[in-house]
Amino acid sequence: MKSARHEKIIELIQQHDIDTQEELAARLNSAGFKVTQATVSRDIRALKLTKVAGKDGKSRYAVLSSASVELGDKYTRVLHDALTSIDVGQNMIVIRTVPGMAMGVAAALDALNWKEILGSIAGDDTVMCVARDNEQAQSVAERLKGILKLC
């Protein structure tokens, strides 16, 4: 029942600009899901919903992953503008950036949540990323090189 309710919540927030838990609860109740505001609050946390500005300036709930897609474009631009070289050694990716941009690149990589990257450390103009294995390190490097070519 919980997974069906979660699917319905995602469907509802994609179809309607819902800005309060009460409105979401009312729509769920109308759809046959008997819920309280407390249940909706827990579901919002479980689904990692966030409020974003709608086209009319009014806030509404959105799935965090779709917000991440919009942010992904911004992070891609940061990567494109800052990267100067990418090298792989075993399961590590060494990324060179323009001076002062390594922390921004590391933050962008972390925010993209690529499953291959376990973590990254930044200096002034160098980022070291650790992947799970050699193959995933190569995959990350290829994706980063693709970003350089796309923009």
Side-chain angles (χ1 to χ4, degrees), residues 62-97:
V63 179
L64 190 56
S65 61
S66 50
S68 294
V69 170
E70 293 168 11
L71 290 175
D73 292 339
K74 292 177 185 175
Y75 295 135
T76 299
R77 282 193 302 275
V78 167
L79 294 172
H80 179 265
D81 292 345
L83 296 180
T84 60
S85 72
I86 304 161
D87 291 304
V88 177
Q90 301 275 331
N91 68 323
M92 291 186 266
I93 306 106
V94 177
I95 302 165
R96 300 283 180 180
T97 71

